[in-house]
Amino acid sequence: MAAEINEGSVPPYYREVYEALRCRTEERVPLEVFQRLLDRTDLNKAALGQIAEHVESTGGSLSKLSLYKALALIALAQQGKQPSPKLLENCIQELPKPLLGEPRDLLALRMQPTPDDPLTVAHSLDRLLARDSVQVELIPEKKGLFLKHVEYQVTSQHHKISVYRRYSDFNVFHELLVQRFAYRMVPALPPKRMLKGVLTSVSDREFIEGRRRALGRFINLVARHPFSSEDELVKIFLTFNGSDVQTKLRDAYKRMGDEFITNRIATQAKDHLPADIQNQFAASRELIRNIHNSFHKLRDRAEKMAGRSKENATDLLMFGRELSTLGSDASAIPPLASSQSTWATLRKSLKGLSVEFALLSDKAAQQGRREEDDVVEKLNFFLDLLQSYRDLCERHEKGVLHEHQKALQKYSVMKRQMMSATAQSKEPVSVEQLESRIVQQENAIQTMELRNYFSLFCLHQETQLIFTYLPMTYHILGAFVKSQVQGHTEMGEVWNDLQPKLGFLFGNNGMQPPF
C-alpha cells in the first residue's frame, strides 16, 4: 500500500517530519526513532499495534514512503478511526495530518542517544511477542494418513502469507539455522516418529497433534528472535511458495555462511565484553538451570491437572449413563415391595438426570482443554526456550572452546617439531613447510579466538533474552487462574441447577430431599 502513495501529493508536513526523523547518512528512518514517534502519539496499545502491523520495515529502518503511510495511519487513529490500509485508500489523494507538533520539535527524537553498547538487548516481552505470530495447522485433507504424508499449513501474521511445509522441510530449516546461528538459541525440533511398537490409532493421532504443537512453538520462537527473525533463511521458510523450499534454503545459506561472517561487529566482540564475562556467564547459567528445573515441575503438575479434568469428564459421563441405565430398567417391582415402594416412579426420574451429568462432563472436558491449551502450552513454550539456552551453553563449551583447545595443542606440537627440525639441521624444504603450517595454524587460532569471544558476546545477549521472557510467568499464572475460575464457575452453575431439580424429583415421590 505504501507504494500507492504518490510522493508528489504528500502534504508538506509529511516531508518536514521525514526530514526531522531520517538518518543523516541514508534516506531512511531508524526503527527506534519511529518507535519514539509512536510513543509520542498517546494512542492506545491496540491502535499502535495496528499501525506497526501495517507499516513495513527492513533492516531496522523505514523507507520514506513507509513513514508517509505510518503518518497517515496515525492521523486516522487520532481521529478515532481504525488505522487500516483499506481506510487509507479512501483518502490517498488527500492524506490527513497527524497531531505530532512542530517538525522541529521532532528533531529531538532522532537526536536522543541510542545505546552505544551493542551488547545490550533493548527489547520488552511485549515487543518480542508482537514481532510475529505463526500458526501451524494440519492440512485437513491430510489428517489421518500415515506420518510421512502429514503436511502443515504455516501462516505468518507478520508476512501475511500461508505456505505448506512437511516435517522434512522443518528439519532442513532447523539444521541450517543451527549452522547459520551457531552462537544463538535455536529451539529443538520434536521427533520425526514415535517409538517403534507403540503406534495405535489413538497414540498416532496424539503424536501428530503433539508434534504440530511443538512445531508451532519452534517456529514462533524463531520468528520472534530479535537477531534471527529478519534473516533470509527465516523469511524464505515463512514466505517461499515454490516447489523446493529445501534447495532454496540451502542455496541461501551457501551465499551467506554463518553469523560470524556476516555480523559487522563479530571481530570486535572482545572489545564489548565485560571483564568478568566468564563469572557472569557461570552465574546466569546456574540460575537459568534452576529456573528450567522449576518450570519443568510446574509443567508436569499442570499436565496432571489437565489429565484429571479429562478423567473427571469421563467419570461424570459414565456416572450419568449408569443413572440412565438404572432408570431404564423396566423390570417389574416384586409384590412384596410394591405397596410402599416409590422406586417404580423414582427410577423413571433418574433417567433424565443423565442430561445434567453429560453437561457436567462437557464442562469438565472444556476445563481440561483450557488447561492444556492455555497453561500447559505456555509452559511448554517457555521450557522450549530455556532448553534451547542450555543447548547453546553446551554448544559453546563442546564446540568453540573445545576446538580452540585442540588447535592450541596442535600448535604446541608443531612448534616443538619446528624446534627439533632446526636443532637437527634438517633440509630447508621441510623446515619451510613446517613454518608455513605454523603460520596457517596461528591464523586458525586467531580466528578461533575471535569466534570464542563472539560466542561469549552472543551468549550474553541470549541470556538477556531469557530474562526478557521471564515475565511470561505472569501470563502463565494469569491463564491458570482464569481457566480455574471459568471452569469452576461453569460447573458450579450446572450443579446449582441440578440441586433444586433433584429436590423436586425426591419431593414428588414422597421423600425428604437429602439436603
Side-chain angles (χ1 to χ4, degrees):
M1 173 58 65
E4 297 181 17
I5 294 179
N6 185 349
E7 190 173 351
S9 63
V10 169
Y13 183 78
Y14 279 46
R15 297 192 186 91
E16 292 170 3
V17 170
Y18 165 71
E19 287 299 328
L21 299 180
R22 77 177 181 89
C23 180
R24 298 298 92 179
T25 57
E26 57 176 324
E27 295 184 350
R28 298 182 69 84
V29 176
L31 196 55
E32 62 266 19
V33 176
F34 175 63
Q35 187 62 48
R36 293 175 194 145
L37 181 72
L38 289 179
D39 294 340
R40 184 187 179 96
T41 61
D42 293 329
L43 293 171
N44 59 47
K45 284 187 177 180
L48 293 176
Q50 290 171 332
I51 293 169
E53 178 184 345
H54 298 308
V55 176
E56 296 179 1
S57 64
T58 55
S61 62
L62 279 69
S63 67
K64 183 190 298 186
L65 292 178
S66 290
L67 177 68
Y68 289 164
K69 177 181 178 181
L71 294 176
L73 292 173
I74 289 171
L76 292 172
Q78 289 176 332
Q79 294 172 10
K81 301 174 182 176
Q82 183 175 356
S84 67
K86 186 173 182 180
L87 185 61
L88 188 57
E89 291 177 9
N90 300 328
C91 56
I92 201 73
Q93 299 302 323
E94 189 176 349
L95 297 173
K97 181 180 178 180
L99 303 175
L100 300 170
E102 293 296 322
R104 62 175 177 269
D105 296 333
L106 301 180
L107 282 169
L109 300 180
R110 177 171 57 83
M111 300 304 292
Q112 284 181 21
T114 56
D116 55 2
D117 180 10
L119 190 61
T120 302
V121 180
H123 284 78
S124 66
L125 176 60
D126 289 342
R127 284 184 64 186
L128 286 177
L129 297 178
R131 293 182 76 90
D132 202 352
S133 179
V134 185
Q135 299 296 319
V136 177
E137 300 294 343
L138 284 170
I139 298 178
E141 60 267 23
K142 299 293 183 181
K143 286 183 178 178
L145 299 180
F146 294 108
L147 293 185
K148 64 181 181 180
H149 297 300
V150 171
E151 199 168 3
Y152 305 93
Q153 183 179 36
V154 180
T155 306
S156 164
Q157 184 177 333
H158 174 70
H159 294 286
K160 298 178 179 59
I161 190 172
S162 292
V163 293
Y164 300 95
R165 299 287 181 255
R166 290 190 174 182
Y167 180 85
S168 59
D169 300 328
F170 277 94
N171 193 42
V172 170
F173 176 53
H174 178 266
E175 289 177 358
L176 294 174
L177 272 182
V178 173
Q179 295 175 48
R180 171 98 173 104
F181 296 100
Y183 313 122
R184 301 286 183 190
M185 291 185 292
V186 179
L189 282 184
K192 182 178 182 180
R193 293 188 180 277
M194 294 183 66
L195 295 175
K196 201 171 182 181
V198 297
L199 278 174
T200 64
S201 59
V202 175
S203 63
D204 193 5
R205 288 195 301 271
E206 289 178 348
F207 171 76
I208 292 175
E209 172 60 16
R211 191 174 69 175
R212 181 195 68 79
R213 288 174 179 263
L215 291 174
R217 297 193 299 269
F218 160 77
I219 194 60
N220 273 287
L221 283 169
V222 170
R224 293 167 182 171
H225 193 287
F227 302 108
S228 62
S229 59
E230 297 295 328
D231 191 72
E232 187 178 352
L233 285 179
V234 179
K235 201 169 295 185
I236 289 172
F237 187 81
L238 291 175
T239 63
F240 181 69
N241 260 320
S243 59
D244 192 355
V245 67
Q246 296 182 22
T247 299
K248 185 80 172 177
L249 289 166
R250 289 191 178 101
D251 290 344
Y253 175 72
K254 287 178 184 177
R255 289 195 308 271
M256 295 182 293
D258 74 345
E259 188 188 11
F260 179 79
I261 296 173
T262 57
N263 192 297
R264 61 184 178 83
I265 64 166
T267 55
Q268 290 89 42
K270 180 181 179 181
D271 300 333
H272 301 287
L273 292 173
D276 61 342
I277 181 63
Q278 294 288 1
N279 292 334
Q280 287 190 33
F281 168 53
S284 297
R285 184 179 185 182
E286 180 64 18
L287 174 59
I288 292 171
R289 185 186 69 83
N290 293 335
I291 291 172
H292 181 264
N293 290 339
S294 293
F295 269 89
H296 205 284
K297 293 174 183 176
L298 288 171
R299 192 276 314 276
D300 289 347
R301 293 297 174 186
E303 279 186 335
K304 288 182 178 179
M305 284 188 280
R308 283 198 294 270
S309 293
K310 291 181 178 181
E311 290 176 0
N312 189 32
T314 302
D315 291 339
L316 285 166
L317 184 63
M318 296 308 298
F319 192 95
R321 286 179 179 176
E322 287 303 323
L323 287 177
S324 180
T325 300
L326 197 59
S328 300
D329 186 3
S331 302
I333 303 296
L336 60 90
S338 59
S339 60
Q340 295 183 356
S341 175
T342 59
W343 177 244
T345 53
L346 179 61
R347 68 180 181 182
K348 294 179 182 179
S349 303
L350 295 178
K351 185 177 181 180
L353 294 179
S354 63
V355 176
E356 275 73 15
F357 280 92
L359 183 56
L360 283 166
S361 173
D362 182 59
K363 296 299 183 185
Q366 290 178 27
Q367 171 72 2
R369 287 193 294 271
R370 275 194 299 269
E371 289 170 344
E372 219 170 45
D373 296 342
D374 300 340
V375 183
V376 176
E377 191 62 17
K378 283 183 173 66
L379 284 164
N380 277 327
F381 179 87
F382 192 48
L383 281 172
D384 287 353
L385 176 73
L386 292 170
Q387 184 59 53
S388 68
Y389 180 83
R390 296 183 70 171
D391 293 343
L392 174 62
C393 292
E394 287 192 18
R395 283 204 305 274
H396 172 73
E397 290 188 340
K398 295 180 179 179
V400 180
L401 286 179
H402 182 65
E403 291 300 320
H404 189 205
Q405 290 169 357
K406 282 175 58 179
L408 288 173
Q409 290 172 358
K410 183 176 179 181
Y411 177 73
S412 178
V413 170
M414 292 169 65
K415 289 289 285 184
R416 287 197 298 269
Q417 289 175 344
M418 181 66 182
M419 292 172 63
S420 176
T422 303
Q424 296 175 15
S425 302
K426 288 190 175 181
E427 295 182 6
V429 175
S430 62
V431 174
E432 288 177 4
Q433 288 176 343
L434 272 172
E435 287 178 341
S436 176
R437 288 171 55 198
I438 287 173
V439 170
Q440 291 176 1
Q441 190 67 8
E442 287 174 344
N443 291 335
I445 290 173
Q446 184 180 14
T447 300
M448 287 181 186
E449 287 178 346
L450 291 174
R451 282 185 173 273
N452 179 48
Y453 286 123
F454 183 59
S455 179
L456 285 169
F457 178 92
C458 294
L459 261 172
H460 197 74
Q461 290 184 322
E462 300 300 287
T463 303
Q464 293 174 63
L465 281 180
I466 292 293
F467 286 101
T468 302
Y469 265 109
L470 271 176
M472 269 195 73
T473 308
Y474 169 77
H475 294 225
I476 295 167
L477 287 174
F480 175 65
V481 172
K482 182 179 178 182
S483 72
Q484 296 303 312
V485 170
Q486 185 174 350
H488 288 295
T489 300
E490 290 178 353
M491 291 195 70
E493 290 173 354
V494 180
W495 285 118
N496 285 330
D497 289 341
L498 179 58
Q499 188 175 19
K501 183 175 182 179
L502 194 61
F504 174 76
L505 293 175
F506 274 82
N508 278 357
N509 287 282
M511 301 180 65
Q512 184 67 30
F515 35 75

